[in-house]
Amino acid sequence: MLAAILVHECVKHGIPAATAAVLFLIIPWLPWWPVRLAWVPLAVVVFYLFGTFFWPPFFTAGLGWLTGIAAYRVVRNTRS
């Protein structure tokens, strides 16, 4: 579901949003464990949704990060 929303937002908002999504999609694959915590990108998405800040690449970056965490956990079969 996250990937479907991410693709929709990237198509809707163009190249800057797609670039942010791809860059943040690979963040969970970095060797540092704190980048795999789901509350950080979730806070980014919630801040964007309920805040007064409007910049679509910010939202797609958060979605990409959450999608990357989900993919990492599926591939690595981890919970944290």
Side-chain angles (χ1 to χ4, degrees):
M1 185 57 118
L2 284 170
I5 296 170
L6 181 62
V7 169
H8 169 74
E9 291 295 324
C10 288
V11 170
K12 183 178 173 183
H13 295 292
I15 292 176
T19 304
V22 169
L23 289 176
F24 278 82
L25 189 63
I26 61 172
I27 282 183
W29 299 93
L30 297 174
W32 303 291
W33 69 268
V35 298
R36 295 185 199 116
L37 298 175
W39 64 268
V40 177
L42 185 62
V44 168
V45 171
V46 169
F47 173 73
Y48 180 82
L49 290 175
F50 295 109
T52 58
F53 181 71
F54 181 76
W55 191 52
F58 187 74
F59 180 65
T60 58
L63 283 178
W65 196 352
L66 281 172
T67 305
I69 289 171
Y72 181 85
R73 289 182 180 178
V74 166
V75 171
R76 301 289 184 177
N77 196 18
T78 59
R79 293 193 178 239
S80 59

